[in-house]
Amino acid sequence: MTRRPLLLVAAAWLTTRALMLWLLAHDTLPPLGGGGVAREVWRLYAHWYGVLSAGAFPADDPLWQYPPGAAPVLLSPALLPGLTYFRAFVALTLLADAAITYALSRAGSRPGRSLRGAALWTGGLPLLLHVPLARYDVQATALAVIALLTSERSTRACGAFAALGALVKGWPVLVLLGVARGRATRSAWTGAALTATAALAVLAALFDHPFAFLRQQGGRGVQIESLGGTALGLATHAGWPGTVRYQYGALEYTGPYVSLVAHASLAATAVAFGLLLWWRVRARHRTPATAYDAALTAVLLFTATSRVISPQYMIWLLGLAAMCLTSRHTAQRPVAALIVAATAVSAVVYPVLYAEVAAATWTGCALMLVRNGLLATAAALSFTRLWRTTGARPEPLPAPARAQDAALTVPGGLRRLID
């Protein structure tokens, strides 16, 4: 493979990230959130930085809902003392983004691999406008991507990185689902357990109240962006008397039947977990992309059934979809296309037309139906294709599907950079 495709990916990354920075600098414009996107960092994260610097987690803050591994990430801007907290946080987020792009490009440059993954990440992340630069989901995604990339050489290292990611944001532990059975699985989970134990011991020694987040996380309700929230939003047009309230750091529905919807979401998540375990028990065949495909399927199922589904959740899915596309053996190409489409709609939902969604207008409800419909379809398709390609008697994908997969594109025409 020549260097030209890699140079084009690098040029695209620099161009799109410059645009994202411009959007962040103009965050106060009404279509860009009226300052709400950046406020998460310079007000909330900076406040937590002060609390964490004093040696304690913000135990009494209902907005603190993150595992203890979030502390090092929120304290990391101290590594750049010449910058304000906000600028240092954005700089480190860009560094994590660049690390993901580099890792995907390097993986895709190997014989038999593809630069589709690097192209998808480079062109897909800017679809969320400037939101990724003002959240720490890029850092968590970087740990998940590194975990998957190391799985081929060292399952112990894979488990270690997955554990670190789980301590930061929880979901990266799901990347271990597709590790090969037997010795590889034992090695990965041993690495994860040892790393998590050691990291938790250090955090518990350095900070007070490391598990305070569990109380706040358990109290969360149904966020307006979730599938349950979409149903409740539509119910308001049929006379349901519920209202939207800001609580636990998000806009959530309150009123009759909300707890029922919340419990239904939790039940759906339990069913999704059961399906994944069923697949794990029944799967007999592996492809070089099975670990990547299984990770994307697992996170998609947990995302689609979540009570939250904030826009930044799409960062996770983009990263895992990009990992799948680095392999020419992946069965998830159409799923990746659905994720890109859902990402584009998510940017319209937040921050562009978030007031419409919060007010449950017909426009807001339509947006949520489209975004969540795409996610639900992607989750179902992802699990189906994973099952069909790894079953006891794996079924080859039909010829039309293979042809459609080969024709898929990613934003900005970046697919031309591959092969």
mmCIF file of all heavy atoms in Angstrom, residues 160-184:
data_model
loop_
_atom_site.group_PDB
_atom_site.id
_atom_site.type_symbol
_atom_site.label_atom_id
_atom_site.label_comp_id
_atom_site.label_asym_id
_atom_site.label_seq_id
_atom_site.Cartn_x
_atom_site.Cartn_y
_atom_site.Cartn_z
ATOM 1 N N ALA A 160 -6.404 -5.991 30.166
ATOM 2 C CA ALA A 160 -5.960 -4.860 30.986
ATOM 3 C C ALA A 160 -6.518 -3.543 30.457
ATOM 4 O O ALA A 160 -7.038 -2.716 31.219
ATOM 5 C CB ALA A 160 -4.433 -4.811 31.021
ATOM 6 N N PHE A 161 -6.433 -3.327 29.134
ATOM 7 C CA PHE A 161 -6.948 -2.084 28.563
ATOM 8 C C PHE A 161 -8.470 -2.010 28.664
ATOM 9 O O PHE A 161 -9.034 -0.937 28.889
ATOM 10 C CB PHE A 161 -6.499 -1.943 27.110
ATOM 11 C CG PHE A 161 -5.086 -1.467 26.954
ATOM 12 C CD1 PHE A 161 -4.105 -2.315 26.472
ATOM 13 C CD2 PHE A 161 -4.743 -0.178 27.301
ATOM 14 C CE1 PHE A 161 -2.796 -1.883 26.334
ATOM 15 C CE2 PHE A 161 -3.433 0.287 27.163
ATOM 16 C CZ PHE A 161 -2.449 -0.580 26.674
ATOM 17 N N ALA A 162 -9.135 -3.153 28.486
ATOM 18 C CA ALA A 162 -10.589 -3.168 28.632
ATOM 19 C C ALA A 162 -10.993 -2.810 30.052
ATOM 20 O O ALA A 162 -11.977 -2.085 30.278
ATOM 21 C CB ALA A 162 -11.138 -4.543 28.249
ATOM 22 N N ALA A 163 -10.237 -3.300 31.045
ATOM 23 C CA ALA A 163 -10.534 -2.979 32.443
ATOM 24 C C ALA A 163 -10.338 -1.496 32.717
ATOM 25 O O ALA A 163 -11.156 -0.867 33.404
ATOM 26 C CB ALA A 163 -9.650 -3.808 33.366
ATOM 27 N N LEU A 164 -9.268 -0.931 32.179
ATOM 28 C CA LEU A 164 -9.046 0.505 32.366
ATOM 29 C C LEU A 164 -10.173 1.309 31.722
ATOM 30 O O LEU A 164 -10.651 2.295 32.291
ATOM 31 C CB LEU A 164 -7.697 0.908 31.762
ATOM 32 C CG LEU A 164 -6.448 0.364 32.464
ATOM 33 C CD1 LEU A 164 -5.191 0.745 31.695
ATOM 34 C CD2 LEU A 164 -6.366 0.888 33.902
ATOM 35 N N GLY A 165 -10.609 0.885 30.544
ATOM 36 C CA GLY A 165 -11.730 1.566 29.902
ATOM 37 C C GLY A 165 -13.004 1.438 30.697
ATOM 38 O O GLY A 165 -13.780 2.398 30.811
ATOM 39 N N ALA A 166 -13.235 0.258 31.286
ATOM 40 C CA ALA A 166 -14.435 0.054 32.096
ATOM 41 C C ALA A 166 -14.413 0.922 33.340
ATOM 42 O O ALA A 166 -15.457 1.418 33.784
ATOM 43 C CB ALA A 166 -14.549 -1.417 32.489
ATOM 44 N N LEU A 167 -13.236 1.142 33.915
ATOM 45 C CA LEU A 167 -13.133 2.002 35.088
ATOM 46 C C LEU A 167 -13.373 3.464 34.731
ATOM 47 O O LEU A 167 -13.732 4.275 35.589
ATOM 48 C CB LEU A 167 -11.752 1.860 35.735
ATOM 49 C CG LEU A 167 -11.500 0.540 36.473
ATOM 50 C CD1 LEU A 167 -10.060 0.487 36.979
ATOM 51 C CD2 LEU A 167 -12.475 0.377 37.636
ATOM 52 N N VAL A 168 -13.194 3.796 33.460
ATOM 53 C CA VAL A 168 -13.430 5.169 33.010
ATOM 54 C C VAL A 168 -14.897 5.384 32.657
ATOM 55 O O VAL A 168 -15.500 6.378 33.046
ATOM 56 C CB VAL A 168 -12.535 5.496 31.795
ATOM 57 C CG1 VAL A 168 -12.935 6.832 31.165
ATOM 58 C CG2 VAL A 168 -11.074 5.536 32.211
ATOM 59 N N LYS A 169 -15.491 4.422 31.951
ATOM 60 C CA LYS A 169 -16.880 4.647 31.508
ATOM 61 C C LYS A 169 -17.741 3.387 31.465
ATOM 62 O O LYS A 169 -18.856 3.424 30.957
ATOM 63 C CB LYS A 169 -16.889 5.303 30.128
ATOM 64 C CG LYS A 169 -18.164 6.061 29.807
ATOM 65 C CD LYS A 169 -17.994 7.543 29.836
ATOM 66 C CE LYS A 169 -19.344 8.253 29.710
ATOM 67 N NZ LYS A 169 -19.195 9.683 29.479
ATOM 68 N N GLY A 170 -17.272 2.270 31.917
ATOM 69 C CA GLY A 170 -18.114 1.092 32.050
ATOM 70 C C GLY A 170 -18.175 0.209 30.818
ATOM 71 O O GLY A 170 -17.807 -0.972 30.857
ATOM 72 N N TRP A 171 -18.648 0.739 29.698
ATOM 73 C CA TRP A 171 -18.963 -0.080 28.529
ATOM 74 C C TRP A 171 -17.766 -0.788 27.897
ATOM 75 O O TRP A 171 -17.962 -1.857 27.265
ATOM 76 C CB TRP A 171 -19.672 0.768 27.464
ATOM 77 C CG TRP A 171 -18.823 1.845 26.867
ATOM 78 C CD1 TRP A 171 -18.725 3.136 27.272
ATOM 79 C CD2 TRP A 171 -17.958 1.723 25.731
ATOM 80 N NE1 TRP A 171 -17.839 3.835 26.487
ATOM 81 C CE2 TRP A 171 -17.362 2.988 25.528
ATOM 82 C CE3 TRP A 171 -17.617 0.670 24.873
ATOM 83 C CZ2 TRP A 171 -16.455 3.235 24.501
ATOM 84 C CZ3 TRP A 171 -16.709 0.910 23.853
ATOM 85 C CH2 TRP A 171 -16.146 2.174 23.679
ATOM 86 N N PRO A 172 -16.512 -0.282 27.962
ATOM 87 C CA PRO A 172 -15.417 -0.980 27.268
ATOM 88 C C PRO A 172 -15.187 -2.425 27.702
ATOM 89 O O PRO A 172 -14.559 -3.192 26.971
ATOM 90 C CB PRO A 172 -14.191 -0.107 27.575
ATOM 91 C CG PRO A 172 -14.748 1.267 27.714
ATOM 92 C CD PRO A 172 -16.051 1.042 28.445
ATOM 93 N N VAL A 173 -15.697 -2.821 28.865
ATOM 94 C CA VAL A 173 -15.533 -4.225 29.268
ATOM 95 C C VAL A 173 -16.224 -5.164 28.284
ATOM 96 O O VAL A 173 -15.853 -6.345 28.165
ATOM 97 C CB VAL A 173 -16.072 -4.442 30.703
ATOM 98 C CG1 VAL A 173 -17.601 -4.399 30.727
ATOM 99 C CG2 VAL A 173 -15.566 -5.755 31.289
ATOM 100 N N LEU A 174 -17.199 -4.663 27.550
ATOM 101 C CA LEU A 174 -17.940 -5.489 26.595
ATOM 102 C C LEU A 174 -17.074 -5.946 25.428
ATOM 103 O O LEU A 174 -17.446 -6.892 24.723
ATOM 104 C CB LEU A 174 -19.155 -4.730 26.066
ATOM 105 C CG LEU A 174 -20.248 -4.413 27.094
ATOM 106 C CD1 LEU A 174 -21.308 -3.508 26.483
ATOM 107 C CD2 LEU A 174 -20.890 -5.695 27.622
ATOM 108 N N VAL A 175 -15.920 -5.303 25.209
ATOM 109 C CA VAL A 175 -15.072 -5.717 24.084
ATOM 110 C C VAL A 175 -14.463 -7.090 24.333
ATOM 111 O O VAL A 175 -13.947 -7.722 23.388
ATOM 112 C CB VAL A 175 -13.954 -4.693 23.797
ATOM 113 C CG1 VAL A 175 -14.539 -3.314 23.551
ATOM 114 C CG2 VAL A 175 -12.918 -4.667 24.913
ATOM 115 N N LEU A 176 -14.528 -7.579 25.565
ATOM 116 C CA LEU A 176 -13.984 -8.907 25.864
ATOM 117 C C LEU A 176 -14.928 -10.023 25.449
ATOM 118 O O LEU A 176 -14.553 -11.197 25.501
ATOM 119 C CB LEU A 176 -13.687 -9.027 27.362
ATOM 120 C CG LEU A 176 -12.635 -8.064 27.929
ATOM 121 C CD1 LEU A 176 -12.452 -8.313 29.415
ATOM 122 C CD2 LEU A 176 -11.317 -8.208 27.184
ATOM 123 N N LEU A 177 -16.140 -9.667 25.051
ATOM 124 C CA LEU A 177 -17.136 -10.695 24.729
ATOM 125 C C LEU A 177 -16.687 -11.605 23.596
ATOM 126 O O LEU A 177 -16.974 -12.814 23.603
ATOM 127 C CB LEU A 177 -18.468 -10.033 24.362
ATOM 128 C CG LEU A 177 -19.605 -10.993 24.027
ATOM 129 C CD1 LEU A 177 -20.127 -11.650 25.297
ATOM 130 C CD2 LEU A 177 -20.728 -10.265 23.308
ATOM 131 N N GLY A 178 -15.986 -11.051 22.615
ATOM 132 C CA GLY A 178 -15.629 -11.833 21.442
ATOM 133 C C GLY A 178 -14.285 -12.512 21.502
ATOM 134 O O GLY A 178 -13.850 -13.119 20.504
ATOM 135 N N VAL A 179 -13.597 -12.446 22.629
ATOM 136 C CA VAL A 179 -12.309 -13.132 22.755
ATOM 137 C C VAL A 179 -12.527 -14.633 22.605
ATOM 138 O O VAL A 179 -13.527 -15.189 23.077
ATOM 139 C CB VAL A 179 -11.656 -12.818 24.108
ATOM 140 C CG1 VAL A 179 -10.378 -13.631 24.303
ATOM 141 C CG2 VAL A 179 -11.349 -11.328 24.209
ATOM 142 N N ALA A 180 -11.604 -15.296 21.941
ATOM 143 C CA ALA A 180 -11.737 -16.734 21.689
ATOM 144 C C ALA A 180 -11.883 -17.511 22.992
ATOM 145 O O ALA A 180 -11.346 -17.119 24.035
ATOM 146 C CB ALA A 180 -10.531 -17.239 20.907
ATOM 147 N N ARG A 181 -12.581 -18.604 22.917
ATOM 148 C CA ARG A 181 -12.829 -19.411 24.103
ATOM 149 C C ARG A 181 -11.548 -20.045 24.634
ATOM 150 O O ARG A 181 -10.521 -20.084 23.973
ATOM 151 C CB ARG A 181 -13.821 -20.528 23.779
ATOM 152 C CG ARG A 181 -15.216 -20.052 23.493
ATOM 153 C CD ARG A 181 -16.099 -21.249 23.236
ATOM 154 N NE ARG A 181 -17.477 -20.862 22.993
ATOM 155 C CZ ARG A 181 -18.456 -21.718 22.827
ATOM 156 N NH1 ARG A 181 -18.209 -23.010 22.878
ATOM 157 N NH2 ARG A 181 -19.682 -21.296 22.609
ATOM 158 N N GLY A 182 -11.670 -20.597 25.852
ATOM 159 C CA GLY A 182 -10.572 -21.358 26.428
ATOM 160 C C GLY A 182 -9.490 -20.478 27.014
ATOM 161 O O GLY A 182 -9.752 -19.509 27.735
ATOM 162 N N ARG A 183 -8.270 -20.778 26.666
ATOM 163 C CA ARG A 183 -7.125 -20.099 27.271
ATOM 164 C C ARG A 183 -7.142 -18.596 27.020
ATOM 165 O O ARG A 183 -6.800 -17.808 27.900
ATOM 166 C CB ARG A 183 -5.835 -20.710 26.719
ATOM 167 C CG ARG A 183 -4.569 -20.138 27.329
ATOM 168 C CD ARG A 183 -3.344 -20.833 26.773
ATOM 169 N NE ARG A 183 -2.127 -20.282 27.333
ATOM 170 C CZ ARG A 183 -0.915 -20.699 27.014
ATOM 171 N NH1 ARG A 183 -0.766 -21.686 26.131
ATOM 172 N NH2 ARG A 183 0.149 -20.140 27.559
ATOM 173 N N ALA A 184 -7.545 -18.192 25.813
ATOM 174 C CA ALA A 184 -7.566 -16.763 25.489
ATOM 175 C C ALA A 184 -8.537 -16.015 26.391
ATOM 176 O O ALA A 184 -8.232 -14.929 26.901
ATOM 177 C CB ALA A 184 -7.938 -16.568 24.023
#
